[in-house]
Amino acid sequence: MPAAAVVSPLLLSLSSSSSPFLSSSSTSFFPPSSAAVTPHAAVRTRAAVSVLRALRAEAATLPVLSFTGEKVGEVTLDLKSAPPSTARAVVHRAIITDRQNARRGTASTLTRGEVRGGGRKPYQQKKTGKARRGSQRTPLRPGGGVVFGPKPRDWSIKINRKEKRLAISTAIVSAAKDAFVVEEFEEAFASGPKTRDFVAALQRWGLDPKQKAMFFATDFDDNVRLSGRNIGSLKMLTPRTLNLYDILDARKLFFTPAAVDYLNSRYGTSVSDDYYTDDEDDGEEELVEQEAEEGTTADAAPDATEEGEADSSS
């Protein structure tokens, strides 16, 4: 299924009044659909304003709840967000990229030249009263080839790393009205995983177990992960699995205090452009260089051994 077919209903649902992301009661940074913008003005705006340079600093205060559902404090979520004139375009481009890059592109059909059989002419050209036919594998007959069918292809498209991170932070800021923080509760599941206890905790936090929600934490205890994985409406994400689609698809978001600190350090307003050099890639390059050096040393060692044996034999 094309990515646009999946994303269009999702974005339409976000633009409805019932959506927590773009509702009138929520703090939304997307431009209203009724805003009248002339085509010439839109072109001038896109040409004059850069998406990554005209960033907004939006700080949201999230309540902190205990495992029993009581409010015990507040934390600040201070993330970068795209300006209203480009926020919707940035998020749309990022979600299209994610969905399209997830396609494997392995769909394949056989043409009439690839289908087995059909080498013999089924009947003579004339004197039969039928339409002339040169092969049984024509696309006009069952079992024949497919005309203009899909073939394996690469569907991946590119998006700038800063733009993708900006889309994630913009989506989180837009959903901050329906987000909260929960204290660490690994001790509550120290005896073992219990899905019933996890569902009860969701209800104490004001969540409907049948409503889609996203739980983001830097790391999950094994018992907590096992307790929540059977809840079909709950997505439990870590920094490695955080993605834009699950953020937009969830009606409620809740984090751990460590996850909020991670978001502020990763997507916060205090993060400079130098942060986007991505130390993870540098670490991978260093690892490759070390492996190459070790391989060179290992190759040189047998050569030295052979030379020593040759000298001793002589």
Side-chain angles (χ1 to χ4, degrees):
M1 179 181 295
V6 178
V7 177
S8 298
L10 178 62
L11 293 179
L12 289 176
S13 64
L14 292 179
S15 61
S16 61
S17 59
S18 61
S19 173
F21 295 94
L22 301 179
S23 60
S24 58
S25 61
S26 63
T27 306
S28 177
F29 309 110
F30 293 163
S33 58
S34 60
V37 180
T38 62
H40 298 289
V43 173
R44 289 196 301 269
T45 303
R46 289 195 297 269
V49 180
S50 174
V51 174
L52 299 178
R53 293 182 180 178
L55 300 180
R56 294 162 58 92
E58 300 292 344
T61 302
L62 305 182
V64 181
L65 305 180
S66 63
F67 185 72
T68 59
E70 300 176 356
K71 183 177 179 180
V72 295
E74 293 180 346
V75 296
T76 301
L77 186 66
D78 191 9
L79 305 182
K80 293 179 181 179
S81 65
S85 58
T86 56
R88 186 181 297 274
V90 170
V91 174
H92 181 267
R93 173 175 164 80
I95 191 66
I96 287 290
T97 303
D98 288 346
R99 300 300 295 175
Q100 188 160 328
N101 290 346
R103 299 186 65 173
R104 294 186 297 174
T106 56
S108 180
T109 56
L110 300 179
T111 63
R112 63 179 297 168
E114 296 170 340
V115 178
R116 184 174 182 269
R120 183 175 65 89
K121 187 176 178 65
Y123 46 82
Q124 61 183 1
Q125 181 84 348
K126 299 179 180 295
K127 301 180 181 180
T128 60
K130 302 179 183 179
R132 53 192 174 185
R133 193 177 303 275
S135 174
Q136 288 285 68
R137 296 299 178 255
T138 172
L140 303 179
R141 291 187 58 84
V146 179
V147 181
F148 304 125
K151 286 292 185 181
R153 59 169 295 185
D154 182 14
W155 288 94
S156 62
I157 55 179
K158 179 184 176 297
I159 185 173
N160 294 333
R161 185 179 302 164
K162 294 182 183 180
E163 189 176 0
K164 183 176 181 180
R165 291 177 178 173
L166 179 61
I168 292 177
S169 60
T170 301
I172 295 176
V173 169
S174 181
K177 183 71 175 180
D178 297 280
F180 59 92
V181 180
V182 294
E183 289 184 329
E184 302 290 347
F185 53 89
E186 289 86 357
E187 296 80 4
F189 296 91
S191 59
K194 278 288 186 179
T195 303
R196 183 182 303 174
D197 296 343
F198 204 106
V199 172
L202 294 177
Q203 294 174 344
R204 290 195 297 270
W205 297 333
L207 298 179
D208 184 2
K210 297 182 179 180
Q211 189 180 43
K212 291 184 178 180
M214 189 203 74
F215 182 21
F216 179 66
T218 55
D219 190 18
F220 288 107
D221 182 72
D222 290 339
N223 290 335
V224 174
R225 178 179 56 83
L226 294 175
S227 300
R229 70 176 182 178
N230 285 337
I231 305 176
S233 59
L234 179 65
K235 288 287 186 179
M236 304 176 66
L237 304 180
T238 61
R240 184 180 180 85
T241 59
L242 182 64
N243 63 90
L244 183 60
Y245 183 86
D246 288 333
I247 296 174
L248 296 177
D249 193 39
R251 311 301 296 178
K252 296 287 185 178
L253 282 72
F254 59 103
F255 317 95
T256 60
V260 174
D261 295 338
Y262 170 81
L263 292 175
N264 288 332
S265 63
R266 183 73 167 178
Y267 308 99
T269 56
S270 61
V271 180
S272 62
D273 291 340
D274 296 338
Y275 182 83
Y276 294 106
T277 55
D278 204 347
D279 298 336
E280 297 177 358
D281 296 343
D282 297 339
E284 293 179 357
E285 293 178 358
E286 294 177 357
L287 181 60
V288 171
E289 292 177 357
Q290 292 178 359
E291 292 178 352
E293 292 177 358
E294 292 177 357
T296 304
T297 306
D299 294 340
D303 296 340
T305 305
E306 292 177 359
E307 292 177 358
E309 293 177 355
D311 294 340
S312 60
S313 60
S314 61

